Amino acid sequence: QKEVEQDPGPLSVPEGAIVSLNCTYSNSAFQYFMWYRQYSRKGPELLMYTYSSGNKEDGRFTAQVDKSSKYISLFIRDSQPSDSATYLCAMSLFSGLYNQGGKLIFGQGTELSVKP
Amino acid sequence: DTGVSQDPRHKITKRGQNVTFRCDPISEHNRLYWYRQTLGQGPEFLTYFQNEAQLEKSRLLSDRFSAERPKGSFSTLEIQRTEQGDSAMYLCASSSLSGNTIYFGEGSWLTVV
């Protein structure tokens, strides 16, 4: 079993829809959670970063972390065709202040297509 | 802020040849990471540096792989005696020492034929 599980999709939605992307994980020690967006043949772009449980909002994007369920989500409101990409969740055990900080464990990525 | 820069962006090589990739991190970042990503998968951690010290290496990093970061600035990743299974995108990333936000470059695509 992988440490981080993510449905690869593909997920297809109409423009304007609310998109929900999710990851589950097995290691309860993960403390830092990120979402990256990756366009085809490009590097991952950091979208959201959260620490521990709770919600974080940035424009049309909301990240949620539920450590009790080992479940994280990314919501995209008013989705646009330009949001079509692969979304990667990633998580880390330690703060950047520690020697092991920054070693990210990624999910497989969910391919999202937003149709005009 | 010029971001993380990687070179070359694409490399096609014959099996058995050596290849080297270069990464220039964001200038004020102490930490530099190398990841590998194959089609349909998320990136996998290979190794990372804090300044010039290589602090961790994944078991994915076989003896044919070597990474350096002289003087704590740019880094190189060399693959010796390439195999077809080495075909992947090699991603470099960097972060500050105290931050948890890690920024990736555009990647270097390797095709071994």
Side-chain angles (χ1 to χ4, degrees), chain B residues 52-63:
Chain B
E52 65 274 12
Q54 188 172 18
L55 294 187
E56 188 174 349
K57 293 195 297 185
S58 164
R59 55 185 164 80
L60 293 175
L61 214 65
S62 76
D63 292 344

Side-chain angles (χ1 to χ4, degrees), chain B residues 5-98:
Chain B
S5 178
Q6 293 190 245
D7 183 70
R9 291 292 317 281
H10 301 92
K11 179 74 175 178
I12 299 174
T13 191
K14 292 183 178 179
R15 189 173 51 187
Q17 297 295 305
N18 299 346
V19 295
T20 299
F21 300 111
R22 175 182 169 122
C23 173
D24 288 273
I26 293 172
S27 58
E28 64 270 22
H29 283 179
N30 303 94
R31 290 197 171 160
L32 185 148
Y33 313 85
W34 286 98
Y35 284 76
R36 179 171 68 187
Q37 186 177 24
T38 54
L39 204 60
Q41 301 298 317
E44 294 177 295
F45 171 81
L46 291 178
T47 188
Y48 91 95
F49 293 83
Q50 183 169 301
N51 300 314
E52 65 274 12
Q54 188 172 18
L55 294 187
E56 188 174 349
K57 293 195 297 185
S58 164
R59 55 185 164 80
L60 293 175
L61 214 65
S62 76
D63 292 344
R64 297 184 297 105
F65 288 71
S66 63
E68 294 182 343
R69 192 183 182 195
K71 302 179 182 179
S73 55
F74 71 93
S75 176
T76 58
L77 177 69
E78 182 184 18
I79 309 173
Q80 295 182 328
R81 304 181 304 281
T82 51
E83 302 173 355
Q84 286 189 321
D86 297 331
S87 296
M89 180 164 67
Y90 291 85
L91 289 160
C92 179
S94 70
S95 72
S96 63
L97 182 60
S98 59

Side-chain angles (χ1 to χ4, degrees), chain A residues 9-26:
Chain A
L11 178 63
S12 183
V13 301
E15 184 175 354
I18 296 175
V19 175
S20 173
L21 303 165
N22 311 294
C23 289
T24 59
Y25 61 94
S26 57

